[in-house]
Amino acid sequence: MISLSYFLVFAAALFCIGLYGVLARKNAIAVLMGIELMLNAVVINLIAFWRFRTPEMIAGQAFGVIVFAVAAAEVAVGLALFIAIFRRRNTIAADEIDLLKW
Amino acid sequence: MSDPVNSISEWLRTILSGWGLSEGLITVILAVLGVVILATIVLVVDIMLVWIERKMVARFQDRLGPNRVGPFGIIQPIADVIKLLIKEDILPDGADRFIFNIAPIFALATVLLLWAVVPFAPTIIGADINVAVLYIVAIGSIGTLAIIMAGWASNNKYALLGAFRTVALLIAYEVPMVIALLVPVLLARSMGMQTIVAAQSPWYIFVVPLAALILFVSSIAELGRTPFDISEAESEIVAGFHIEYTGMKFGLFYAGELLHALTVSALIATLFLGGWRGPFVDQVPILGPVYLFIKAFLVYYLIMWVRYSFPRIRIDQMLGFNWKFLTPLALFLLVVVAILDKAMVGVSQVQYVLVMLGANLLIVWGTVIILRTYARVERKRVGEERAVAIAPESDLADLVGQE
Amino acid sequence: MEASTLVWLLPAPPLLAFFLIILLTNRSKALSHIMGVGAALLSFIGSFVIIVLALQSGHLGEEPFTSVLNWFPTGDTWFQIGVWVDPLTVATLFFVAITVLMIFLYSVGYHNYGAPKGDHDAPGLQPHGATVEDEHGHKHRVPSIEPMYSRFFAFISLFAFGMYVLVVSNNLLTLFVGWEIMGLCSYLLIGFWYAKPSARAAAIKAFLTTRVGDVIMLLGLAYLYYLTGSLSYNVIFSEETLHMLTSSPTPFFGVSAAVVIGLFLFIGTIGKSAQWPLHVWLPDAMEGPTPVSAMIHAATMVSAGVYLVIRVFPIISAGMVHGEPTLTMNIMAFIGAFTGLFAATIAVAQNDIKRVLAYSTISQLGYMIAAIGIGAYVAAAFHLMTHAFFKALLFLGSGSVIHGVEHGVLHTGEDIDPQNMFNMGGLRKKMPITFWTFLIGGLALSGFPFITAGFWSKDEILADAFAHSSWAVLIVLAFAALLTAFYTMRQITLTFLGESRTESAEHAHESKWTMTFPLIFLAVFAIVAGWPGIPIDFPVIGGFIPNFIHDFVGETLAEHPETITFNFVPLLISLGVSLGGLALGWLVYKDVKAGEPDPLEKPLGPIYRILKNKYYFDELYDFLFVRPSIWISRQFTYLWLDQKIIDGILHAISRVAFSLGGLFRNYIDKPVVNGFGDFVGESVKWIGRASRFIQTGRVQQYMVMALIIAFGTLFYYLFFLSQP
Amino acid sequence: MTVFQAIFLVVAVVTLGGAVMVVTVRNLIHAALWLILSLFGVAVMYGLLSAPFFTVIQVVIYIGAIAILMIFAIMLTRRVAQEPGSSVNKGWWMAGLMSLVLFTALVWMFSTWSGFQTTLPQLPEGIDTIKVLGTALVSPDGYVIPFEIASVLLLAALIGAVVVAWERKT
């Protein structure tokens, strides 16, 4: 029978792939995609813990819903930012957006 | 009393377990079988729709329609299919091959997926999930994806423009549609289709007709049919997102569009017209599908009626209509229904229905009043003299005078 | 309505006003100030309803008005937030509500509401004035209205919201939220005229300096939460918790958790209440508009720091046996007393009218901290309240003065600094209301005996110091009080008395009613606010009014503070220092002329010439010893007695104070504090320069680095620390 | 191997494969489509965890809204999406190493945890999780404040996105 370990390892793998995307991709939208993968991994963990550990409480699902809301907000603002940056600087390569240095 | 579909399923189950297959495997086999059968039936109906649609449009336009192949031209769709199949399959230069090929499949598949939650009879339903209404919305968004994929992969600016316009329209009209869907959910206190059907005494169209109307209008927009056929507005962007598609790939889009209309009709029939409900359906469950299809075709007829009677409106008018009129109205209706539903705890069914209906009609009346005032102001504004080249004064005076 | 329900609503109007102003009414100046002042008025009314209810309830100390709300489920328990009104809250609410409302009202006049739009005013700069034409066609320069009028009201509304949240919250977390909201608003308001580089620098300085304290305070809160699992007052101030805190050891030098937490929280106060060595931001914060100075430096933000230490007094004093002060309290007493004296000496040598008040505020806050350090938290709360009134009054009064002089500057077109006291003088006649109210405030600050509020609160602190035998504190504070009286009188004398020293001061005139009304209102409280705190056993006037402050505020703690028996020594000390300082200040400064330097500035040569021209003793002696004795008077009285002895004494005292101030400034403030600050700054700069190749501005690289560090820490933890 | 396990493994392989393609493929539109495949796999995972509500809102929000928004953004910044050169930055090997280290560390930490092999418990009988979830989200004893804050956050994000992306007419 299937155990919690399956889901945890799966989520960890998904998280790490997303992390690689966030850290390594040049294009900012691709970075955002990586973040989406990471968030999904987190929600899988929340739901898996709910299902396997405390199916009688709803906390895991409730937090999952909130993560969804945050993800949607993050994408909306993120993409709007990228479009605004693109208009000004004609690039959305993450390593060229470096006004913060020095 | 059992219905034939479940009897056959039980019989197959006994046979298969007799072969020594495991329980899980049998379930999978039966599920696949069910999907295949359901899809086949639906697609056969779809082929018939071509004939119906063409016959109907001919009548609306005072023509005869197909009448050569078979009696009343009834074999005409088969001929169409054969024609589409033997046409050359063209792949445009610079197209994204894989996406280009998969998009039409998506377009038809999403429509087929919707049938999974349509209840045909008290006991016959693809999957009685408790989030069926949300499922409908979800599948609708995958349909949007198919259009984007087709438009992008074609490497054609008209296709891309058409896809953009369509997606803007679809996303916009999803809002009032979802809100209108919430009304029956709220009344039945469930998102499961069977529960909603079972809760409909009387049919919800008699309880919340305005919600049905909003759903109907936004569904037509979702279908991309006239007056909302912005996606393929021939006079503006040739054929929109499927401009580059030929042969059977185009056929899939075409079939998907027709079938989508029927599917939406079936969903409206399920949510507001009582679905499979009708006389003797409890004794003879197989009557359920019959009633459902009668109601669905009634709605389908209405959709066609609208399609062939109205001209197309501009895209800004469409979006303005959605955001400035339909969405606020739907929201207001939802709030009113929710408050009334909470307030009327413990009243009799008749009173409940009457009050709800009264509230709906009141909202409709109020909306009409507001619209009339707006229209009067707008007519005045349009009628005002402006510093542009205009018709001779006498004509203008006549026009204004008529108002 | 339940009292506790009403308490929830107290912070609401200013917040609502903030959002309404920024979202809706920022185009309309009239609507914006109606929103702001109206919100302050609503909160004011609400606060007074609460105060009346609280006074009627009788046992507020044991049964505070409180109501809690579940905020967030944390596993099996809830994190709760709520409101809490106990006697300390009531006292704080009392002065906060009044001063906030008065400052809001004052701001309307201060920003020249009703004046025309400036000729070339730009947002982010002080108004430059507008040219108007009268009926005869003469052109006048008059003050112009603030271009960012609505924004100002939005910001101070948010500020008031932060203060109300801080005062009514029932736990340290929401208190901290209010605290940080005020920090933000302070930053925004100090840098209100953001087009001035000095204002921007001051805003950043204030924000960063207070941030140092805030971070450490947050650490303290985190540590407290880690140990107790709660931040609610009723939990953390309970007997068991305090006992647990005092008995749990920490890794820091073996002191108890209570000391560590108390110190961490106190460091937050050091930042917020501008105590040495984090006081540097407050004088610079005078770059903001004057109502902001009043708001920050009198009524709210700096008071919040003292409020916090009074609030957490149970933790600070936890482990106190037989009145023996704890380590935390000793540190507080030292820092408070030191700051009190140190700031007072600096104030003596300042010329900017607002800067004197700023140093004075630091000094007075030092007073309160020192009072808490010796255990006299009731006296500290009392002084906090009276100080809020008279310091708000003084700030608003100085704003009115500056306003008047600015008006004159615009009129005459002179190029002078309207804030320099040596450009003023003689404003007594031009601005009578401002003068009288400022005088009342000044006397209250100096502790003018028997009438003013400041006397009673200061006296109580000195009496407490005497009763606790804290001689060092007593002497330092007494000397600081002397200097306070001295520079206050110097300020009053230079500003209002004597003759106008510039054309502009000549043309100054009284401010509008929106500015003078708050002055009068606050002046009343600068006097009467002290009366409920008169000790019962005070000779003659004691007992007419019950010593209400002591009974009421003392109820806050489970353990009531003992009443101090009256003693003449501290009374005489406070009488002596206040009257002596006032007299000294008046004598030294009463005759400063236009263009002349400060009499203290060049105590040598030039001073003789100043004195030769006029001195009060001149006429006196001339009258007493008429012509026949003129030779004696010239040789003996005038040259020897007057100039050598009397002037010598005066100058000696002033020179001592001045050089002490200079000493502190040159040998402590500049080399030690500033040097330390510069060292920190320089080394940060060096480290920054050395390590700036790391900062590529590429977020992804930062994240990789963060991960590497996190992994490093994790592995270190797992393989070295968690081994059995 | 049970049917359940088989389904899990197939879905996991598809999802992770899709995810790998998302972070490696050059064409951003393809990356977005792979992302959709991956997110769809995650939706199925929710189904396997008997959270049908999440399956459906995953499709609605992620595929119907987020992914389509991303495709729109990619198309609006098309020139960049087709820029020549490497699709990863110079420190990609470090990023990969870090991800690998994180994965090993996570799995190692999980495996030392006692609850790692928890088997699937029976869901409580007769409880409609959707109903419970809905009630919890709006009841004062549940998550109403976080829920409301999340909705305010969404509203603020909505307004913020419009303001940020607004093309000002000069």
Side-chain angles (χ1 to χ4, degrees), chain C residues 253-472:
Chain C
F253 309 110
V255 296
S256 74
V259 174
V260 173
I261 291 166
L263 277 180
F264 277 11
L265 295 182
F266 174 56
I267 291 172
T269 296
I270 291 184
K272 208 63 153 186
S273 290
Q275 294 297 292
W276 182 86
L278 294 181
H279 66 278
V280 287
W281 64 271
L282 203 147
D284 284 15
M286 297 298 126
E287 287 290 341
T290 301
V292 173
S293 308
M295 193 94 170
I296 297 172
H297 304 116
T300 50
M301 200 171 94
V302 292
S303 308
V306 180
Y307 173 81
L308 172 74
V309 279
I310 302 178
R311 176 56 80 196
V312 298
F313 189 73
I315 292 181
I316 288 169
S317 65
M320 192 162 73
V321 278
H322 310 303
E324 192 65 29
T326 58
L327 176 62
T328 325
M329 289 169 72
N330 280 330
I331 292 173
M332 285 175 70
F334 170 73
I335 287 188
F338 180 76
T339 310
L341 180 61
F342 158 84
T345 53
I346 294 178
V348 172
Q350 296 296 322
N351 288 346
D352 186 310
I353 185 166
K354 275 167 78 181
R355 228 161 250 264
V356 174
L357 292 175
Y359 277 110
S360 145
T361 305
I362 299 175
S363 161
Q364 296 301 310
L365 292 166
Y367 250 84
M368 300 171 208
I369 300 292
I372 297 164
I374 56 175
Y377 77 94
V378 176
F382 185 27
H383 195 54
L384 178 67
M385 186 174 85
T386 58
H387 173 256
F389 286 123
F390 61 69
K391 193 49 69 69
L393 170 61
L394 283 172
F395 265 114
L396 297 185
S398 73
S400 177
V401 167
I402 295 167
H403 223 248
V405 178
E406 259 173 2
H407 192 271
V409 170
L410 282 176
H411 191 84
T412 58
E414 274 183 307
D415 183 26
I416 56 163
D417 177 9
Q419 302 201 6
N420 192 331
M421 295 187 293
F422 286 84
N423 291 332
M424 301 174 186
L427 292 177
R428 176 179 76 254
K429 290 174 215 131
K430 312 284 177 208
M431 314 177 75
I433 304 178
T434 307
F435 166 63
W436 284 108
T437 49
F438 197 94
L439 184 68
I440 291 171
L443 291 181
L445 172 62
S446 343
F448 190 75
F450 307 128
I451 301 174
T452 60
F455 172 74
W456 297 111
S457 53
K458 244 183 224 187
D459 181 53
E460 191 165 340
I461 291 178
L462 292 178
D464 265 304
F466 184 79
H468 290 94
S469 312
S470 311
W471 306 120

Side-chain angles (χ1 to χ4, degrees), chain C residues 369-633:
Chain C
I369 300 292
I372 297 164
I374 56 175
Y377 77 94
V378 176
F382 185 27
H383 195 54
L384 178 67
M385 186 174 85
T386 58
H387 173 256
F389 286 123
F390 61 69
K391 193 49 69 69
L393 170 61
L394 283 172
F395 265 114
L396 297 185
S398 73
S400 177
V401 167
I402 295 167
H403 223 248
V405 178
E406 259 173 2
H407 192 271
V409 170
L410 282 176
H411 191 84
T412 58
E414 274 183 307
D415 183 26
I416 56 163
D417 177 9
Q419 302 201 6
N420 192 331
M421 295 187 293
F422 286 84
N423 291 332
M424 301 174 186
L427 292 177
R428 176 179 76 254
K429 290 174 215 131
K430 312 284 177 208
M431 314 177 75
I433 304 178
T434 307
F435 166 63
W436 284 108
T437 49
F438 197 94
L439 184 68
I440 291 171
L443 291 181
L445 172 62
S446 343
F448 190 75
F450 307 128
I451 301 174
T452 60
F455 172 74
W456 297 111
S457 53
K458 244 183 224 187
D459 181 53
E460 191 165 340
I461 291 178
L462 292 178
D464 265 304
F466 184 79
H468 290 94
S469 312
S470 311
W471 306 120
V473 172
L474 178 67
I475 293 165
V476 171
L477 291 187
F479 192 56
L482 176 74
L483 288 174
T484 305
F486 177 73
Y487 65 67
T488 308
M489 201 58 204
R490 171 178 181 265
Q491 191 176 27
I492 292 171
T493 316
L494 283 175
T495 310
F496 291 102
L497 305 181
E499 297 301 318
S500 304
R501 281 184 293 275
T502 56
E503 197 76 357
S504 304
E506 193 70 41
H507 281 91
H509 68 65
E510 185 59 276
S511 307
K512 283 194 235 26
W513 73 269
T514 44
M515 291 170 77
T516 50
F517 173 74
L519 295 178
I520 299 168
F521 197 86
L522 287 170
V524 173
F525 282 97
I527 292 179
V528 301
W531 294 351
I534 300 175
I536 296 286
D537 46 2
F538 198 84
V540 189
I541 51 176
F544 278 126
I545 303 169
N547 189 349
F548 180 72
I549 297 283
H550 197 272
D551 298 342
F552 186 68
V553 178
E555 261 186 44
T556 308
L557 295 190
E559 198 179 331
H560 290 204
E562 81 273 31
T563 314
I564 299 150
T565 48
F566 177 75
N567 194 304
F568 269 107
V569 179
L571 173 66
L572 288 177
I573 292 175
S574 62
L575 277 179
V577 292
S578 102
L579 291 177
L582 286 170
L584 214 57
W586 187 72
L587 285 174
V588 175
Y589 287 96
K590 70 187 170 95
D591 277 328
V592 178
K593 287 276 157 266
E596 281 169 3
D598 191 316
L600 297 183
E601 196 177 316
K602 292 175 188 163
L604 296 171
I607 278 190
Y608 289 103
R609 248 174 292 136
I610 300 163
L611 298 171
K612 206 173 279 175
N613 288 333
K614 268 204 176 79
Y615 218 40
Y616 182 72
F617 295 111
D618 270 3
E619 287 86 9
L620 182 70
Y621 285 26
D622 210 18
F623 173 74
L624 286 175
F625 310 92
V626 279
R627 301 265 171 204
S629 55
I630 197 162
W631 186 84
I632 303 168
S633 69

